[in-house]
């Protein structure tokens, strides 16, 4: 397994609780839209065994041509040891990335694509939308629906409806509105539904989509293949 050590080159405060850490691209490091990586802080591999409290599974919120690896995360006032250390990091500090993989690349099957996310889960979808804007081949249209109770919606410069690009974006701040809208979207019995958020959020979305007649193969989760039965067979 190759571990890439790299430096933070910029920190963007997206909202009062959400930051994006832009990392230098190490030589030979590649990724595609919908990728996640293991993001680790200094000292994680100092002992005999990796210190798992210093490692997190994070989505990459940028595309390679942006020339930085973006990690977007919510850091609340009360947070874990990992987030506390992360909050205090500065430009020039080193972090590690390894085991990068995409579970949710953009499928190009001449269908409508629906991106369902909660809060900072939108970071996973930012590269998919940018990829679609650059090349819309075999994607009929994309609709993004995000729920964020903080009302500090993310990436609003990208997630704004663009009828000329066949892209619509919707933000809601409560569950009722969100799940009603999911039911409306699920009237498209041929659509592809991508879901990103907490495990509980995934389970609830799957339940609503399945009740509307959407098949498991139409639902994409940011999970390794061996983990999928835990969500679809529950």
């Amino acid at each position: 397994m190759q571990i890439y050590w790299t430096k933070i080159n910029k920190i963007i405060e997206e909202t009062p609780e959400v930051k994006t850490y832009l990392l230098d691209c190490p030589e030979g490091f590649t990724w595609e839209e919908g990728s996640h990586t293991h993001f680790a802080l200094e000292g994680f591999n100092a002992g005999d065994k990796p210190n798992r409290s210093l490692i997190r599974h994070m989505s990459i919120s940028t595309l390679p041509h942006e020339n930085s690896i973006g990690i977007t995360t919510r850091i609340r006032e009360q947070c874990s040891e990992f987030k506390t250390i992360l909050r205090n990091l500065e430009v020039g500090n080193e972090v590690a990335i390894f085991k990068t993989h995409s579970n949710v690349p953009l499928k190009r099957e001449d269908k409508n694509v629906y991106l369902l996310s909660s809060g900072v889960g939108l970071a996973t979808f930012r590269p998919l939308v940018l990829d679609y804007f650059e090349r819309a081949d075999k994607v009929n249209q994309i609709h993004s629906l995000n729920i964020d109770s903080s009302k500090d919606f993310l990436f609003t410069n990208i997630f704004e409806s663009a009828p000329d690009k066949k892209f619509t974006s919707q933000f809601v701040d409560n569950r009722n509105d969100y799940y009603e809208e999911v039911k409306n979207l699920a009237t498209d019995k041929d659509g592809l539904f991508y879901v990103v958020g907490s495990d509980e959020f995934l389970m609830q979305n799957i339940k609503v989509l399945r009740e509307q007649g959407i098949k498991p193969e139409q639902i994409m989760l940011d999970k390794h293949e061996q983990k999928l039965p835990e969500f679809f067979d529950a």
Side-chain angles (χ1 to χ4, degrees):
M1 177 186 77
Q2 184 162 5
I3 296 171
Y4 296 90
W5 285 97
T6 185
K7 288 189 173 157
I8 298 170
N9 66 50
K10 192 174 182 184
I11 301 170
I12 301 167
E13 192 163 317
E14 306 283 2
T15 73
E17 283 192 339
V18 176
K19 285 184 165 71
T20 294
Y21 293 82
L22 293 176
L23 316 177
D24 291 336
C25 292
E27 198 173 327
F29 182 84
T30 58
W31 75 99
E32 62 179 336
E33 79 280 359
S35 286
H36 61 253
T37 191
H38 287 70
F39 177 72
L41 306 177
E42 212 166 333
F44 87 95
N45 60 348
D48 296 339
K49 287 193 291 195
N51 179 351
R52 295 194 179 282
S53 67
L54 297 180
I55 306 170
R56 282 291 182 283
H57 206 235
M58 296 278 203
S59 293
I60 298 180
S61 58
T62 50
L63 282 174
H65 72 69
E66 295 180 88
N67 298 320
S68 283
I69 300 158
I71 302 291
T72 303
T73 189
R74 191 181 297 279
I75 304 178
R76 300 185 197 277
E77 193 58 44
Q78 299 295 318
C79 57
S80 63
E81 176 194 9
F82 179 92
K83 295 278 180 89
T84 304
I85 297 169
L86 186 59
R87 179 166 49 202
N88 293 318
L89 291 185
E90 296 171 349
V91 169
N93 286 148
E94 277 203 326
V95 294
I97 46 177
F98 55 94
K99 281 192 186 169
T100 304
H101 176 75
S102 178
N103 295 316
V104 284
L106 185 57
K107 285 181 181 279
R108 297 177 180 275
E109 299 179 355
D110 293 312
K111 292 182 178 176
N112 297 333
V113 171
Y114 302 95
L115 307 177
L116 310 177
S117 59
S118 169
V120 79
L122 204 63
T124 306
F125 291 148
R126 181 185 177 276
L128 271 74
V129 170
L130 290 178
D131 192 54
Y132 167 70
F133 285 165
E134 286 165 19
R135 188 169 68 88
D137 308 4
K138 298 197 166 184
V139 179
N140 289 352
Q141 59 179 353
I142 292 185
H143 181 96
S144 166
L145 174 65
N146 177 263
I147 176 174
D148 196 333
S149 56
S150 75
K151 301 188 186 181
D152 287 319
F153 302 126
L154 280 174
F155 307 128
T156 48
N157 59 328
I158 291 168
F159 286 85
E160 57 181 352
S161 295
D164 56 318
K165 295 176 177 169
K166 295 189 177 172
F167 176 72
T168 46
S169 177
Q170 207 176 352
F171 291 95
V172 295
D173 61 12
N174 66 84
R175 287 182 179 211
N176 284 351
D177 288 355
Y178 174 83
Y179 286 112
E180 279 309 306
E181 197 49 43
V182 171
K183 287 176 191 170
N184 290 339
L185 299 177
T187 56
D188 178 358
K189 301 304 181 204
D190 201 34
L192 297 174
F193 295 83
Y194 288 68
V195 194
V196 171
S198 66
D199 287 358
E200 181 195 9
F201 180 78
L202 299 185
M203 299 291 265
Q204 187 59 34
N205 275 273
I206 290 168
K207 181 172 182 282
V208 172
L209 290 168
R210 296 292 304 275
E211 283 170 355
Q212 305 304 309
I214 301 300
K215 301 182 186 75
E217 56 267 29
Q218 292 170 259
I219 305 171
M220 318 303 145
L221 306 182
D222 187 14
K223 296 285 180 186
H224 271 298
E225 209 169 311
Q226 64 264 33
K227 289 264 184 198
L228 295 178
E230 293 174 24
F231 293 89
F232 289 108
D233 300 343

